[in-house]
């Protein structure tokens, strides 16, 4: 389980005001966590995930996040949830699950 992955690099929130760029940055962070856990499957990329959950501050931005998730993690089931996030400038946050082998 990879939880609470957002558009944060170091301690800095990135791409303030741009939900699409935040979603891409957050999914890059998911990739980094998986690589560093030695369970990355390069051939499948994020397609190796069992599922993704996206927590979205503004429900009107759900279609943008859904499209990015479908492109970056093809075939992975996605749940979109309206929720407050840990920082006011964050618009989207992801949780991911992946089977370890």
């Amino acid at each position: 389980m990879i939880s609470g992955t957002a558009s944060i690099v170091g301690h800095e929130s990135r791409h303030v005001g741009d939900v699409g760029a935040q979603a891409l940055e957050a999914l890059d962070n998911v990739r980094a966590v998986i690589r560093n856990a030695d369970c990355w499957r390069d051939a499948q990329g994020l397609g190796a995930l069992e599922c993704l959950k996206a927590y979205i501050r503004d429900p009107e931005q759900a279609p943008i996040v859904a499209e990015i998730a479908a492109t970056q993690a093809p075939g992975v089931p996605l749940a979109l949830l309206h929720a407050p996030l840990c920082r006011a400038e964050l618009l989207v946050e992801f949780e991911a699950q992946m089977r370890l082998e």
Side-chain angles (χ1 to χ4, degrees):
M1 171 80 118
I2 300 168
S3 181
T5 308
S7 182
I8 300 171
V9 177
H11 297 287
E12 179 186 345
S13 297
R14 297 281 176 94
H15 314 292
V16 174
D18 186 339
V19 72
Q22 284 192 13
L24 289 168
E25 186 80 53
L27 291 172
D28 282 346
N29 288 341
V30 170
R31 287 183 186 93
V33 169
I34 294 169
R35 272 194 305 272
N36 287 311
D38 292 328
C39 61
W40 183 251
R41 296 180 226 167
D42 285 320
Q44 295 180 6
L46 292 178
L49 296 173
E50 296 284 319
C51 66
L52 269 174
K53 288 182 187 174
Y55 297 93
I56 304 167
R57 182 177 300 281
D58 180 355
E60 291 182 10
Q61 296 177 328
I64 297 167
V65 174
E67 181 179 337
I68 289 169
T71 301
Q72 297 289 307
V76 175
L78 173 67
L80 297 166
L81 304 162
H82 178 225
L85 303 178
C86 66
R87 296 183 185 187
E89 68 275 13
L90 294 177
L91 303 173
V92 62
E93 181 177 300
F94 285 96
E95 284 186 357
Q97 292 183 357
M98 181 176 175
R99 185 179 309 255
L100 296 178
E101 293 183 2

